[in-house]
Amino acid sequence: MKKSWNALGACLLAASLGLAAAPAMAGDDCDVPIERWQTREAVTQMARQKGWDLQRVKIDDGCYEVRGKDAQGRAFKAKLDPETLAVVKIKYRDHDGRDRDRRRDRDRDHRDSRGAAPGAMPAAAPAAAAGKPSAAVSVSGARIE
């Protein structure tokens, strides 16, 4: 009986370690040795050939990440394979930033649904009554009155 519990425990441990490592193997990460990378100048040249107007080129998750506007004027963010400069992932944004506003509204609605009134600010500490001393507060062992 003890052997079956040990075998079961070993299987569960192996499965949990495998699941814990899964997020580290994201599909849009690049795994290319640095000596095989193309230069940033090659990235900007490829972008010009596609009609892209780049505003930013950086490295993220082992990939080149570029932001800019495509030939039709749409704002985008793309991840490029550093060896082939192939597009690994691309996201387009609205011209007027409406998708950003929608995300802000969604986040605000989510916060509001947790108990705060819509648009309410966090509650402030009550003010001391006129002529009465405020309560003492201890901060890091120092007493503040």
Side-chain angles (χ1 to χ4, degrees):
M1 181 75 169
K2 190 172 184 178
K3 282 187 177 184
S4 64
W5 280 108
N6 286 341
L8 178 64
C11 289
L12 289 174
L13 178 62
S16 65
L17 290 175
L19 291 175
M25 297 184 287
D28 59 350
D29 291 352
C30 301
D31 189 24
V32 177
I34 194 81
E35 56 272 358
R36 295 198 329 231
W37 281 40
Q38 294 200 37
T39 64
R40 287 179 185 251
E41 290 78 25
V43 173
T44 57
Q45 183 179 6
M46 181 274 306
R48 269 187 260 129
Q49 289 172 351
K50 289 184 176 264
W52 293 354
D53 179 26
L54 295 185
Q55 295 151 351
R56 182 177 190 178
V57 177
K58 71 175 195 172
I59 297 169
D60 184 38
D61 294 331
C63 302
Y64 279 117
E65 182 178 289
V66 296
R67 291 182 187 206
K69 294 191 178 186
D70 67 4
Q72 290 79 32
R74 297 179 298 176
F76 74 93
K77 175 177 157 182
K79 280 192 171 186
L80 307 175
D81 181 280
E83 182 178 18
T84 64
L85 300 183
V87 176
V88 175
K89 182 177 179 180
I90 190 164
K91 287 184 186 179
Y92 287 96
R93 299 182 179 199
D94 290 341
H95 290 290
D96 57 2
R98 282 182 295 174
D99 62 342
R100 184 181 315 143
D101 293 337
R102 274 195 301 260
R103 278 195 308 272
R104 287 183 185 155
D105 290 343
R106 184 186 65 229
D107 292 344
R108 184 175 43 245
D109 292 343
H110 178 70
R111 277 193 314 269
D112 293 343
S113 68
R114 292 185 298 190
M121 297 295 292
K132 293 187 179 180
S134 62
V137 177
S138 176
V139 177
S140 299
R143 186 178 168 106
I144 302 172
E145 294 189 44

